[in-house]
Amino acid sequence: MTSSDSNGGAGSGGASTTTSPNTSPRHRRRSVRPNNSSISNASKRLGSNKKVTIPLENGCEDTWTWSRRHRSKETVLSGPNERTVHFHPNWSKGTAGVVGKRTLNNGRFYWELHVSQRIFGTSIMFGIGTRKARLHANSFRNMLGENEHGWGLSHKGVLWHKGIALIYTDRFKENQATVVGLLFDGIEGTLTYYKDGECLGVAFRGLDKIKEPLYPIVCSTAAKTEMTLKSTRSEIGHLQDMCRAEVMKHIRTRHDLTKLKLPSIITNYLSEAITENVPLRQVDNYDMLFEF
């Protein structure tokens, strides 16, 4: 146990392995990101005067909440519809998680997590997983994504899956409240993160191939932290989108698409599903010195 998670300093992360994950992340370089406004307020504008993009803005309101049954004993649920989860309400001696009640497979879902200013310690994580994902550990670790049953992003800007850590974005500022958005697309098989109104890009792919039910999961090692679930929306997949997802399984690049010589309206629609991937750097022993 480290004192950082129990009373407010920085901790050390879990170890990574050398096996490559089956689901490939979209790879981004780190950059300095502005502290923008919450994406739950569509009328607010960022400091750059760009209007905030709201995923699934025209989708249906989804009223799911956290599971009382599937959670760590070190979590407490409160607030309207028990949408606020408190981690380690007294002091922390490990890692605690909770599962959302929403089954994600085959649909499109967006949800926001309003995270309190107590952002510190070994790992605060946001993502998805199966029922086999662990929800409690008597140690401080990056629990969501430690194996094949979870896909997570830690507050240190690192993606985790199968115990592999990949640098994805900047670290969150410690002791500063933030809003984390997650967009799950079960048709395209992707999970995309947003932070304070800014899209960070596709993090994980191949999720449409997961046959087990997938659920939202959050976890934390830090004492007295809390997250509130807000702006939950869903959208039923259209046949047109399902057909595009099937076609794009055979098209990897824009060059491949151009060679088909399709009508421009179809080419433009298909091209929306293409992203140019740059390999993310795996966390190595040098990075561990900086407590990933």
Side-chain angles (χ1 to χ4, degrees), residues 228-248:
T228 300
L229 180 64
K230 294 186 179 182
S231 301
T232 50
R233 292 186 290 276
S234 63
E235 179 181 273
I236 299 173
H238 299 292
L239 178 60
Q240 177 175 293
D241 295 331
M242 294 179 182
C243 291
R244 178 174 67 177
E246 190 63 33
V247 170
M248 295 312 295

Side-chain angles (χ1 to χ4, degrees), residues 9 64 192 231 260 262:
W64 63 269
T192 301
S231 301
L260 296 178
L262 298 170

Side-chain angles (χ1 to χ4, degrees), residues 257-276:
L257 182 57
T258 302
K259 289 193 297 184
L260 296 178
K261 298 182 179 179
L262 298 170
S264 60
I265 189 170
I266 297 177
T267 299
N268 292 337
Y269 176 67
L270 293 176
S271 67
E272 292 175 2
I274 297 177
T275 54
E276 303 298 336

Side-chain angles (χ1 to χ4, degrees), residues 1-2 5-6 72 74 87-88 91-97 122-123 135-141 143 219-223:
M1 178 175 66
T2 63
D5 293 276
S6 58
S72 165
E74 287 294 315
F87 298 92
H88 314 286
W91 60 290
S92 176
K93 55 183 178 181
T95 312
T122 300
S123 186
L135 298 177
H136 186 83
N138 292 319
S139 61
F140 300 123
R141 60 185 302 108
M143 188 167 66
C219 60
S220 176
T221 61

